[in-house]
Amino acid sequence: MQSQDVAPRPAPSSGAVVDVEQAEAALVEHYPRLVRLAYLMLPPDLGRNRRVLTAHALTQRALPRGRAGGDASVIPSQQSGGGRDGDPGYTFVRLQVVRAALGAGLPPKRRAWPGRYRLPPLLPQVWGLRLFPRSGGADELALEQRLSALPAPARAAYVLRGLEKLSDPRLRQELAAAGVADPAAAIEEASGVEARDALLGSPEFDPCSLQARPTDLIRRRQRTKAALVATAAVAVCGALLALPGDGWGPDGAAAPSYARNPAAEAALDPARLQRVAPAAWESSARTDFSVWPARGALVHDSALLRRALAVWARPGGSVQVSATPGTPSGAPPGPPQLLYAGDVDQARVVLLHDGLRIARYAEPRNGTGGAALDFARADGAGRAGASAVLLGRTDGNVRYLTAPWVTGAAERDLLKPSAGAMDLTLSADGSTSPLAGPPGTGACTSWNVLQVEDASGTRLLTDLGELIPAHLTAGRPTAPQEAAGARGLREWAPFACSLASARSQGVRTVNAWEYARQPLPDGSGSAAWVCTRADTWRGGGTRVAAQFHTPGGRYGAVVAQAGNSPACGSRDPQVLAGVLWKSGAGTWYLLAAGSRGTASVEATGGVRGSAAGPLLTVRARQGARAELKGRLTDGRSVTGLR
């Protein structure tokens, strides 16, 4: 690699005179671009935080000292175009930025004292925070590494050519004016790096769009500890004198924020992870995640486990963090339980459990960039809720880790109740072979679910975009049955696609209950009224929907829905709903149905009518709106679901 030097600044022989107002206007207008230029040209060994602050500092110091005093306000003669290229003010401040950035890039051995821009800038200053641009991808990282290997003049040539689109003659002139001794050599060396102009404009290299993180808290506390001793002693004595008797502040005996404590440190130590014996579930009275053994080929990979625990405690800006509603995403309170560590498709996956949550850490096999951290509530999980956990999704397929008590797994399409289930392979560690996931945003022509078997029976689980699949049941809410039976499959078939509305809601179970059948007034058969209720792990956020299915139809229709309603639940298994229905002859009717125990139904508003019992059929007009009210056999009233 050739080396180039930055020569003493030459005095320009001719050029345009720029006053301070003109330069200031150009600096303010093009400030983000100038700071990006400075950031890219500064030596990478300054660190990202120092580069950000220094780029802003040298850009803000680029204004001339006066209107026409010496070369501080004179720019070399250049061909002028339109826009900023033809603006003498912009050309001047850009030259000052390039000159200052090159000065900061001189090797330390050529200085008797560190250059001004190798020292922390006086302004701007940020205390207690580290600022840096957003992390980019592999392409940005590779370009950063290539630029860091270039000398300062070549790096400046690459950046000016890529961002400013300077031709080689103008580039040589700019570098010479900035003090580069051999501009031609700098341009030649910059040409050895592949041109990636689009990457230079990416957020990775934008020092005006920043992320903030705390500095080294322990070192900062150690540096200031001696200075604070006297002040702390005075403050404590004053506080004790002011207290009415003995007592503490609102936090009790809690340690200050970010203090080191044994529980927090133990939670980051892979050697202290809780590991359950493989056969513990066989003799335990519990059947939940607490008795899952640690499985997978990488359960002894301390480096992987340490990364997973560290990311859980302190996820970086590049980590994709997600959590189901109502699930905290903070660090574990102590050493969590290890459930799984192994390779899943093209990722390394770690599953952890802290008693309240399941945490899934995933990173690419070929590095740690693009790591993901997902959380889901799991408290109170029983045998059904702890039957399986997501391992990964790839190309529309899903893999699960099943509970140690699961003896078989299969894939079933809910839309085809009479079709058989397709067996899935269970590996020695309990992971399934891939099965097709539910449809995305397109047409719903199938809805595949996971069918698991154990000593207690067969159950269905569906992927709703979260770590723990939702358990499907069917029947009256006070005594729901597994949906894997013939009756449950028939009940679910017309309504399977409605499960899409429950995605990413932290759903624990979904029950389908056929609460009424109503003869259609045109004699074409009987329609089914089904209430589906999705209950969540957090308790709140329940979703209730009344659905209507006519004979011969493939799909049911949602006619009423509500959130956080007791309807169709175990505490109040009552529901009343209605729909405007058009017969084959073109006549419109209001059809309404209540659950068992409904003594009468009445419609008011745009449609009026009443009937004894749970069913109501009244002629209506298209678009009419009605209010429904029912009376239960015990005298209580019930209103129509909305």
Side-chain angles (χ1 to χ4, degrees), residues 191-563:
S191 300
V193 178
E194 179 186 1
R196 305 297 297 272
D197 298 352
L199 291 181
L200 292 175
S202 70
E204 167 81 7
F205 305 119
D206 184 3
C208 291
S209 178
L210 303 171
Q211 291 182 314
R213 291 291 183 271
T215 55
D216 190 329
L217 302 171
I218 296 176
R219 183 179 300 174
R220 190 172 74 196
R221 186 170 66 244
Q222 290 172 345
R223 289 176 176 175
T224 58
K225 186 175 181 180
L228 292 175
V229 169
T231 304
V234 173
V236 169
C237 291
L240 291 176
L241 290 174
L243 282 173
D246 48 61
W248 296 97
D251 291 336
S257 299
Y258 296 102
R260 300 179 65 175
N261 63 79
E265 292 182 343
L268 299 177
D269 186 355
R272 299 192 183 186
L273 282 170
Q274 302 296 317
R275 299 170 186 258
V276 176
W281 66 273
E282 298 179 13
S283 57
S284 174
R286 304 180 61 169
T287 49
D288 55 20
F289 292 112
S290 67
V291 295
W292 275 37
R295 292 174 287 176
L298 302 178
V299 291
H300 300 295
D301 188 335
S302 296
L304 171 63
L305 300 178
R306 187 179 301 278
R307 289 194 298 274
L309 292 170
V311 169
W312 186 352
R314 304 181 308 278
S318 63
V319 179
Q320 300 178 20
V321 181
S322 69
T324 57
T327 305
S329 58
Q337 175 190 353
L338 177 62
L339 303 182
Y340 179 86
D343 291 319
V344 180
D345 297 323
Q346 299 303 313
R348 290 188 291 263
V349 174
V350 178
L351 294 177
L352 300 164
H353 177 235
D354 69 351
L356 173 68
R357 302 163 294 175
I358 295 291
R360 175 183 177 271
Y361 170 79
E363 66 180 28
R365 282 195 186 186
N366 57 357
T368 58
L373 184 64
D374 305 310
F375 295 97
R377 285 278 291 267
D379 49 315
R383 177 182 289 267
S387 291
V389 174
L390 175 85
L391 280 178
R393 296 185 183 89
T394 304
D395 299 329
N397 295 322
V398 187
R399 287 183 186 268
Y400 291 100
L401 179 68
T402 58
W405 53 81
V406 169
T407 57
E411 176 181 354
R412 177 181 287 280
D413 186 354
L414 270 189
L415 292 182
K416 300 175 182 177
S418 59
M422 183 174 64
D423 289 339
L424 297 172
T425 301
L426 280 181
S427 65
D429 61 12
S431 59
T432 69
S433 54
L435 67 148
T441 57
C444 181
T445 58
S446 65
W447 192 279
N448 296 310
V449 296
L450 174 67
Q451 178 175 293
V452 295
E453 298 179 9
D454 58 33
S456 66
T458 304
R459 59 185 55 91
L460 299 183
L461 308 171
T462 185
D463 177 23
L464 294 181
E466 297 167 341
L467 291 182
I468 303 178
H471 178 208
L472 299 181
T473 57
R476 189 168 177 81
T478 52
Q481 304 295 316
E482 293 296 341
R487 180 174 179 178
L489 291 173
R490 287 195 302 271
E491 284 194 22
W492 263 111
F495 312 105
C497 292
S498 68
L499 287 167
S501 64
R503 279 193 173 107
S504 303
Q505 300 297 319
V507 173
R508 179 175 185 167
T509 61
V510 188
N511 184 61
W513 171 36
E514 184 180 302
Y515 67 88
R517 293 193 72 85
Q518 183 172 22
L520 295 175
D522 63 354
S524 58
S526 295
W529 286 93
V530 171
C531 187
T532 55
R533 179 182 175 91
D535 287 303
T536 66
W537 287 93
R538 64 189 182 278
T542 58
R543 300 170 66 90
V544 180
Q547 304 198 49
F548 185 73
H549 180 232
T550 55
R554 185 177 185 188
Y555 304 107
V558 176
V559 298
Q561 52 189 338

Side-chain angles (χ1 to χ4, degrees), residues 48-83:
R48 298 176 75 192
N49 179 69
R50 178 72 61 79
R51 283 172 70 193
V52 166
L53 296 179
T54 303
H56 283 273
L58 63 86
T59 302
Q60 294 171 15
R61 295 172 187 168
L63 292 177
R65 299 292 182 184
R67 181 172 181 84
D71 78 4
S73 57
V74 179
I75 61 172
S77 298
Q78 297 183 8
Q79 284 186 330
S80 297

